[in-house]
Amino acid sequence: DWVSLSFTYQAPQNLAPQVSGLQLVSDTDTPGDLITSDPRVTGTLTDAEGMGMMYGVEIDVNGDGVAESTLSVMPGGTFQYDPTAYLSAGSVTIKARAREWDNATASYLYGDWTSLTFTYQPAALHNPPPQVTGF
């Protein structure tokens, strides 16, 4: 005789990956003061379920909550980004969030925005060009 079994299957929840350790690649002024002429940032993507292959990092440079750039993640989950083209001198806030393609929902799963604020002083401000002061 057949015996029936009823159950409800709940697929494991895919947790969003996160960006951690967002920092300047090179703090060119006094170390740790977050004043730099090199605005490149670096960070690491982490995922509680372990790293897979379908990850990326989105970068928001102008604070509108929309990514200006999407990066690939290097082995080990690290990434690096150069926002120079979007910047002018002064205070800058860069936000980064991780994204992962979720096959179960056929959509991206996004981590929280992580931010870094620093002062960008292009090299020209540190080393102004020579000037003629008299003839």
Side-chain angles (χ1 to χ4, degrees), residues 9-80:
Y9 173 71
Q10 292 182 339
Q13 182 180 1
N14 188 3
L15 300 175
Q18 298 295 323
V19 168
S20 64
L22 189 62
Q23 62 188 5
L24 291 168
V25 170
S26 176
D27 189 342
T28 59
D29 202 45
T30 305
D33 69 355
L34 296 175
I35 299 172
T36 188
S37 60
D38 180 359
R40 293 175 300 147
V41 296
T42 186
T44 304
L45 186 146
T46 58
D47 191 349
E49 289 96 24
M51 294 297 291
M53 296 296 293
M54 297 184 279
Y55 292 96
V57 175
E58 294 188 342
I59 304 289
D60 178 13
V61 179
N62 63 10
D64 65 358
V66 177
E68 279 72 54
S69 298
T70 302
L71 316 171
S72 296
V73 178
M74 294 180 271
T78 62
F79 64 91
Q80 192 174 102

Side-chain angles (χ1 to χ4, degrees), residues 78-97:
T78 62
F79 64 91
Q80 192 174 102
Y81 178 68
D82 184 351
T84 304
Y86 295 97
L87 303 181
S88 55
S91 181
V92 173
T93 298
I94 303 256
K95 293 183 180 181
R97 72 176 175 185

